[in-house]
Amino acid sequence: MAEDTLFDKILRKEIPADVVHEDDEVFAFRDINPQAPTHVLVIPKAKYESFADLAEQDPDAVGRYMRGIAQVARNLGLEQNGYRVVFNTGPDAQQTVQYIHAHIIAGRQLGWPPG
Ligand code: AMP
């Protein structure tokens, strides 16, 4: 069985978080260690451990998840200046929580390539 992660507990409201959006599909909250003026994490309510797992196991859910991420970014007023969406996947990318999450990062000029 998949590990019960920090984000499972945040989704169940067992651990407090600064929630910015919730609907039937997705749940979004501010990152506790923001890397930019806006740094929000978006998770699907249906749990997958990684980006690869979601894409492989439930392709239909990918579209709903992407729409949810775009909706959160729109609600945060990020469309005009833009934003970055990041999925850290696996150890080299430093994925630390084994529950898929999109980082929405915005509010400053972002460097490229990322570190
Ligand atoms: P990743 O390294 O891609 O797995 O991202 C995990 C993210 O979760 C990091 O950016 C952390 O700062 C963030 N994080 C860890 N604990 C919390 C928490 N309690 N509430 C909000 N974000 C958290």
Side-chain angles (χ1 to χ4, degrees):
M1 204 170 102
E3 172 196 357
D4 194 38
T5 70
L6 175 66
F7 292 171
D8 290 278
K9 295 181 177 116
I10 287 176
L11 180 58
R12 295 198 301 264
K13 317 268 169 74
E14 293 168 11
I15 292 177
D18 185 354
V19 178
V20 299
H21 178 88
E22 179 172 10
D23 62 33
D24 289 347
E25 292 285 336
V26 300
F27 187 80
F29 51 98
R30 293 192 189 277
D31 196 293
I32 205 167
N33 182 24
Q35 301 301 310
T38 299
H39 187 169
V40 166
L41 303 173
V42 187
I43 63 174
K45 287 189 165 176
K47 182 187 181 172
Y48 295 90
E49 291 192 22
S50 72
F51 176 71
D53 285 349
L54 172 63
E56 192 66 34
Q57 294 171 28
D58 195 351
D60 289 347
V62 174
R64 298 195 298 274
Y65 184 31
M66 294 299 131
R67 189 171 54 196
I69 294 165
Q71 177 76 52
V72 171
R74 193 175 310 121
N75 292 353
L76 290 168
L78 303 178
E79 283 196 322
Q80 186 169 350
N81 287 346
Y83 55 92
R84 185 170 293 167
V85 179
V86 174
F87 290 93
N88 292 326
T89 306
D92 277 1
Q94 300 189 37
Q95 180 179 0
T96 59
V97 180
Q98 306 312 312
Y99 188 132
I100 185 174
H101 49 282
H103 296 253
I104 297 178
I105 300 167
R108 64 172 170 82
Q109 193 68 47
L110 300 168
W112 191 263

